[in-house]
Amino acid sequence: MSIGNTSILRAVDIYGEYVVSPLLSVKAVTNVILHMNSGEIVGIAGESGCGKSTLVKILYGYIEPSLRVRGRVLLNIDDGTIDLLSVDEEYKRGRIWWRYISYIPQNSMNILNPYMRVGDHFTELLKKHLNLEKDEAIRVAGEYVEDLGLRKDVLKAFPHQLSGGMRQRIVVALSLLLKPRVIFADEPTTAVDVVLQKVLLQYLLDKQKEYGSTLIIVTHDMSIHAMATERIIVMYAGHVVEEAPTELFYEDPKHPYSRALINSLPRLGDKGIRQGLAGQPPSLINPPPGCRFHPRCPYSMDICRREEPPINKYENGWRVKCWLYVKR
Amino acid sequence: MGEMLRLENVTKIFRYGFLGFKFRAVDDVSLSLEDKPSIFTIAGESGSGKTTLARLILRVFRPDFGRILFNGRNIYEIGDRTFYRNIQPIFQDPYASFNPMQKPIRYLRETVKNIVGIEDEREIDEYIAKTLSYVGFDISVVADKHQHEFSGGELQRMAIARALLTKPKLIVADEPVSMLDASFRINIVNLFKKIKEEMGVSFIYITHDLATAYYISDYIAIMYRGSVIESGRSEKVLSEPLHPYTKTLIESLPIPDPKQKKLWMQKKMAFTASIEEAEFILKGCRYVYRCPYAFDKCKTVMPPYITINESNVRCWLYYK
């Protein structure tokens, strides 16, 4: 499968806010511009409440009431380009989701329908998208599950009869069933044991390589980003503050927030003193003027308090949203 | 040197349903904590029995077999006030530690009143103010705040302040940082270190996060399905693991450094679909279904504690 530098997904000027009342909204995602190439593994990092899950929902085109969105998400499919935020919902459900893009939501071990056997989740998908007959679908599902290293009787079980790790693995397998071009994984390995975490992550990466898909991993765990991703996007309070190649990023993060984040990570075999950040992220109902990180930033200057910094190119593919890197 | 806390063959049995099968959530655990400030980590995955062990030490559960000694006395023979003055808990979820209907400060005041035994309200507040300033709060700011006005990290600091009020010898912290973000997490962990060094408080730090365990703890015990399979000085155990389970755990731990990526990816993990319940009722070593080195004896007889360069390990591989 050809893996070139062809762009597959572009997000242009994305804004997303949760409407609480006509006068009040939580601005979860503000002014995000992104692009994803086909075949790459991108990580979205940030701490709780920074808008990373909302961003992924928008990129997937899954807009629930109370979330209001502006901007465009352009996805390349076989016959041209579509805007996920403006196409018809039925079209998205029938043609795009699962087949071109798939989404592993947070807490994925609890999203299987408790009234449906595991096998029915597979056959429903196969019948709907590939128009297979029931017997054929059961056979395909059986082979697929055996390939995962699970026994075929798993298909006859109800979700509650399986352990959390097995359910999580099945959800991951379901999302990869139709060989999607883009896979969004929102905290795919949180809440599972370390050993299982590695198993799941390796499975996901193996399949990504096999299908040549684009994989977008969203997690707060910086160790997973280091182990899995090629490019990393750091979010803070609804903004993308840094975007960089993973390997270079860990050596020398540019944004003061990213730097603090990396410096706060303890490592096995290193007892050196680590420091965290003081203060807490701003309220997204009334975000502070200027740079949203300035109240906690050790380098904050006058301009940081007044004006929002632009997101600037630092090097190839490295972008930073900070006044420190703006030449004036 | 004396021992502050000593667990002797502690076992706790739980039962599924009324006539359901019994399993040992904590099985024959013996540990000891010497009488000097130190941080003792109990590490393990979910379902390893680490929280049950914490609750046994806190007298929430009574052990079915074995006993727990604090300064040489069985914890069930110590009076309530003395017990809570010496041993204090910190829990995982800071939002659940405080009643949302009341101001968190009230919980602190009650602790002082009931356990420290100060009656006068002005004195109570003076007493609290000292401890609060130690963890970085100003009493005039936090006294009027409700639970929802604190962030998770701040509430956890309130919980630590509350535990410190009684000037305890031992704090049992059950996953105190697992709900917090990385940048807050390290602040709390640093605070533990500071408390240990400056106030001479010992900690039992229960966690699944081996990186923070390595960072702060002096001793560590690794649990698997109810039994302690390896224990010793934390540097020793985490840098030269002996038990196959400890080795697997450390190998599968992701490292926040992309340079290690290749090495990490090379070590493949196999997916095991063994049944957890079956592991609990095994007679032999609980790790036998997953262990690559397992032989017949492992299935039938539980390995004894074996001491190898200062670490205790329970594995037949090291039996001579």
Side-chain angles (χ1 to χ4, degrees), chain B residues 229-246:
Chain B
I229 49 124
E230 189 165 354
S231 61
R233 292 203 73 85
S234 59
E235 286 115 273
K236 263 256 149 45
V237 172
L238 294 178
S239 56
E240 300 159 32
L242 295 167
H243 197 281
Y245 176 63
T246 323

Side-chain angles (χ1 to χ4, degrees), chain A residues 51-221:
Chain A
K52 55 192 189 308
S53 289
T54 310
L55 177 63
V56 164
K57 274 185 199 159
I58 296 171
L59 293 180
Y60 184 61
Y62 181 62
I63 315 296
E64 286 168 310
S66 102
L67 176 62
R68 194 165 58 197
V69 178
R70 271 185 292 148
R72 284 183 301 158
V73 178
L74 302 169
L75 176 75
N76 288 351
I77 55 173
D78 293 334
D79 38 2
T81 306
I82 56 160
D83 179 5
L84 282 173
L85 295 181
S86 62
V87 292
D88 183 49
E89 193 78 3
E90 278 306 303
Y91 176 69
K92 251 190 313 204
R93 268 179 211 283
R95 311 279 310 164
I96 305 296
W97 286 350
W98 298 97
R99 185 179 290 192
Y100 288 102
I101 49 178
S102 71
Y103 174 47
I104 305 166
Q106 219 161 351
N107 274 329
S108 50
M109 63 169 76
N110 300 328
I111 60 156
L112 294 171
N113 185 340
Y115 293 109
M116 265 165 76
R117 289 177 198 275
V118 169
D120 295 339
H121 288 86
F122 283 93
T123 48
E124 187 185 82
L125 207 62
L126 289 166
K127 275 196 288 189
K128 184 166 179 188
H129 288 273
L130 298 182
N131 297 322
L132 295 182
E133 293 296 318
K134 187 161 188 200
D135 298 346
E136 178 76 1
I138 291 171
R139 196 183 57 76
V140 171
E143 278 169 15
Y144 187 69
V145 167
E146 277 187 334
D147 183 42
L148 289 175
L150 298 172
R151 278 172 311 184
K152 251 184 193 168
D153 8 333
V154 167
L155 291 177
K156 295 201 186 93
F158 280 101
H160 73 267
Q161 294 170 307
L162 305 174
S163 71
M166 275 228 239
R167 286 199 301 261
Q168 191 126 347
R169 197 175 166 94
I170 280 164
V171 174
V172 172
L174 265 175
S175 71
L176 299 176
L177 185 61
L178 301 178
K179 302 190 171 66
R181 300 247 180 104
V182 184
I183 306 157
F184 293 102
D186 192 353
E187 304 274 9
T189 58
T190 311
V192 298
D193 297 345
V194 199
V195 182
L196 186 61
Q197 169 174 307
K198 183 164 181 184
V199 174
L200 276 173
L201 210 57
Q202 279 182 336
Y203 174 70
L204 205 55
L205 294 176
D206 283 349
K207 288 291 164 189
Q208 182 270 339
K209 206 179 258 171
E210 193 186 322
Y211 301 157
S213 325
T214 304
L215 176 62
I216 294 142
I217 298 178
V218 180
T219 176
H220 66 280
D221 189 338

